[in-house]
Amino acid sequence: MLKLRKAGDRGHADHGWLNSYHTFSFADYRDPAQMGFRALRVINDDRVAPGRGFGSHSHRDMEIISYVLEGALAHKDSMGTDGVLRSGDVQRMSAGTGVVHSEFNGSKTEPVHFLQIWLIPDAKGIAPSYDQKTFADADKRGRLRLVASPDGADGSLGINADARVYAGVFDAGEKSDLALGDGRYAWVQVAEGRVRVNGQELAAGDGVAISDERHLTIEGIDEGEILAFDLA
């Protein structure tokens, strides 16, 4: 069963420096019917103006993944991390017992576009930690590349949640399948372009919840970039 979440139905906040679309309830956008899917709690589609960003703020007991689509995202945190993420970079921050961080557009002239994802962790009160890796388009072209998993398999980022996160870039006609185990669910989020998911056409910003299916088939229509979540 597929349940579509259209881009135009998402929550929206335009703060001038930040243009953000919320797939699930977040900040001032509250919808009791959209509180997440399984362990997936937040997908924010954020565009940040040059030289602007999120000042220091705290999180705890959440797995936070940032997936950069365009531009440069500067990150600093209370663990001593200080760096810049660019297109193809994926960041994982386990907030655990608490972490303070800031995220800014690392460019004074160009916007930054990224997806911010929150996953509910399997355990609370763990030590905070951070990691990031680069997954080139060539590694995601026409396939689903594992970018985050509980065991860090295949060079993916290790996360403290029962979820496996895949990224894929698909030209028209390119196709990839993903088997889903018994009792597993999936969510597919289209970051850019257009794709078909199990025959359902999706465009940028659309998401779809998948239940009671044994596999996913992702097929490109226009050049599309997606994230797929295999969830308990």
Side-chain angles (χ1 to χ4, degrees):
M1 181 177 70
L2 277 66
K3 185 176 181 180
L4 184 61
R5 175 73 162 146
K6 293 292 290 181
D9 295 333
R10 296 176 297 175
H12 181 221
D14 188 346
H15 301 286
W17 64 271
L18 168 66
N19 190 23
S20 183
Y21 287 89
H22 311 312
T23 294
F24 305 119
S25 293
F26 185 84
D28 292 335
Y29 169 61
R30 307 299 294 175
D31 182 345
Q34 301 296 339
M35 296 302 296
F37 181 70
R38 313 304 294 181
L40 186 56
R41 176 61 188 84
V42 167
I43 303 177
N44 287 346
D45 188 342
D46 289 343
R47 288 174 170 82
V48 180
R52 302 294 299 273
F54 306 90
S56 294
H57 58 286
S58 62
H59 296 285
R60 63 181 301 124
D61 291 326
M62 194 65 69
E63 298 292 292
I64 300 173
I65 296 173
S66 295
Y67 186 89
V68 180
L69 294 160
E70 182 181 8
L73 183 67
H75 170 94
K76 291 184 179 182
D77 63 44
S78 54
M79 295 176 284
T81 310
D82 186 349
V84 177
L85 295 92
R86 295 181 171 81
S87 178
D89 289 341
V90 184
Q91 171 200 91
R92 184 273 301 162
M93 186 172 68
S94 297
T97 54
V99 64
V100 176
H101 77 124
S102 63
E103 308 279 354
F104 278 84
N105 187 336
S107 170
K108 299 296 184 183
T109 58
E110 300 295 330
V112 62
H113 181 200
F114 70 104
L115 298 181
Q116 181 183 152
I117 296 127
W118 293 7
L119 290 159
I120 298 169
D122 288 339
K124 295 183 177 181
I126 66 171
S129 62
Y130 177 96
D131 198 5
Q132 70 178 67
K133 292 188 177 181
T134 302
F135 299 91
D137 277 1
D139 294 331
K140 300 177 284 187
R141 178 68 60 184
R143 64 185 289 251
L144 293 171
R145 173 63 165 96
L146 186 67
V147 298
S149 65
D151 56 0
D154 195 22
S156 62
L157 294 164
I159 56 174
N160 178 47
D162 188 359
R164 294 168 69 86
V165 185
Y166 298 83
V169 177
F170 295 89
D171 283 332
E174 290 183 326
K175 185 184 294 188
S176 184
D177 293 310
L178 177 67
L180 298 173
D182 289 340
R184 303 295 292 186
Y185 299 78
W187 182 279
V188 176
Q189 186 70 27
V190 183
E192 296 180 320
R194 293 191 302 148
V195 301
R196 289 187 185 91
V197 177
N198 289 12
Q200 172 71 58
E201 185 172 326
L202 302 176
D206 291 346
V208 62
I210 297 102
S211 306
D212 300 319
E213 301 277 349
R214 296 306 302 269
H215 73 280
L216 293 179
T217 299
I218 313 293
E219 181 180 4
I221 301 175
D222 299 328
E223 178 155 340
E225 185 163 2
I226 66 98
L227 291 179
F229 302 82
D230 178 345
L231 303 161

